[in-house]
Amino acid sequence: MCSFVVLLSGCSSIAKTVFGVEELREFDSKRVESFLTESQNTIDCTQIVATEDQVDSMIRLDLDSNMMQHRAQPVQVLYFDNDSLAFYHINCYTQSGFMSFDWNNYGSFDSFPPTPSVVEDIHGSMAIDKYRTIFPDLKTETRYTIIILWSNMLRKVSRKAVKTVADNIRGHSDCTVVLVNTDRWWIHYLNNN
């Protein structure tokens, strides 16, 4: 089971510090923009701020409960090669140590594009066309489109995901990186559960 689910169900202050879990009470556009600015210092990227409905639609691309659970994770990294999903990784499968997170604990990011890790989309429902339907502002002008879903709730984990992708695509100019902030969905979810 994903460690993040455990964190939500009973966060101690130590776990919150170690994993960097921040409480989201209301949408803060300044924090979202500051993350984009910080990320642009690391990687050439654009940003989409998702609505609750957009994240709901993404989670429900199909009704397979395992994939829905994966798509509901706060931090995700998706690499598309043209229209096809080439790689998918979520925060639950990062290796965590004291105050650190390793997105490359399976060695997936040692190659470009990364090699599949433990999460596979067995239904083929994560084609880039479906994401463009959900996120009309999603631009896919290069061979590779990399989507990083992130939240201020896991800002430290999100930063590490951006850095890992930046290191992985270094020297590859045929990549478009898009950050998708999901804070609005998480605020709604946490306030209603």
Side-chain angles (χ1 to χ4, degrees):
M1 169 159 293
C2 288
S3 60
F4 185 71
V5 175
V6 174
L7 283 174
L8 275 183
S9 63
C11 285
S12 70
S13 59
I14 293 172
K16 285 182 181 180
T17 301
V18 169
F19 291 102
V21 177
E22 298 180 33
E23 291 185 38
L24 296 180
R25 298 191 190 276
E26 60 185 32
F27 183 75
D28 187 340
S29 61
K30 289 180 182 174
R31 289 200 77 212
V32 171
E33 286 304 313
S34 78
F35 187 86
L36 173 62
T37 301
E38 175 186 324
S39 297
Q40 287 173 328
N41 290 329
T42 305
I43 193 170
D44 184 23
C45 60
T46 60
Q47 180 164 260
I48 295 171
V49 178
T51 66
E52 293 169 43
D53 290 340
Q54 286 173 317
V55 176
D56 270 340
S57 295
M58 181 197 66
I59 291 169
R60 299 176 197 293
L61 280 172
D62 66 51
L63 298 179
D64 177 270
S65 61
N66 286 331
M67 287 311 297
M68 287 174 68
Q69 180 183 6
H70 290 173
R71 289 189 196 116
Q73 294 305 307
V75 188
Q76 304 174 40
V77 175
L78 300 90
Y79 279 64
F80 292 92
D81 182 349
N82 292 314
D83 187 51
S84 301
L85 181 69
F87 176 75
Y88 181 58
H89 201 25
I90 57 177
N91 56 264
C92 289
Y93 295 112
T94 60
Q95 181 70 36
S96 57
F98 186 71
M99 303 298 280
S100 67
F101 304 93
D102 182 6
W103 279 87
N104 196 28
N105 57 304
Y106 295 102
S108 298
F109 290 94
D110 290 344
S111 62
F112 178 86
T115 55
S117 58
V118 293
V119 182
E120 294 183 34
D121 178 32
I122 57 175
H123 302 290
S125 59
M126 291 182 11
I128 196 74
D129 286 342
K130 293 191 178 191
Y131 277 76
R132 277 196 300 257
T133 300
I134 296 168
F135 303 107
D137 295 336
L138 180 62
K139 303 292 185 231
T140 57
E141 300 164 353
T142 56
R143 176 176 174 180
Y144 294 98
T145 302
I146 302 161
I147 299 173
I148 303 173
L149 284 92
W150 74 279
S151 173
N152 275 303
M153 183 171 47
L154 288 178
R155 195 170 176 108
K156 288 166 75 173
V157 177
S158 299
R159 274 189 196 118
K160 189 69 174 183
V162 169
K163 170 85 169 77
T164 301
V165 169
D167 291 344
N168 180 254
I169 68 170
R170 188 169 288 119
H172 297 277
S173 59
D174 54 349
C175 301
T176 300
V177 179
V178 181
L179 307 178
V180 177
N181 175 269
T182 59
D183 283 356
R184 288 184 171 125
W185 188 88
W186 281 104
I187 291 164
H188 177 81
Y189 175 83
L190 294 170
N191 286 335
N192 291 295
N193 286 309

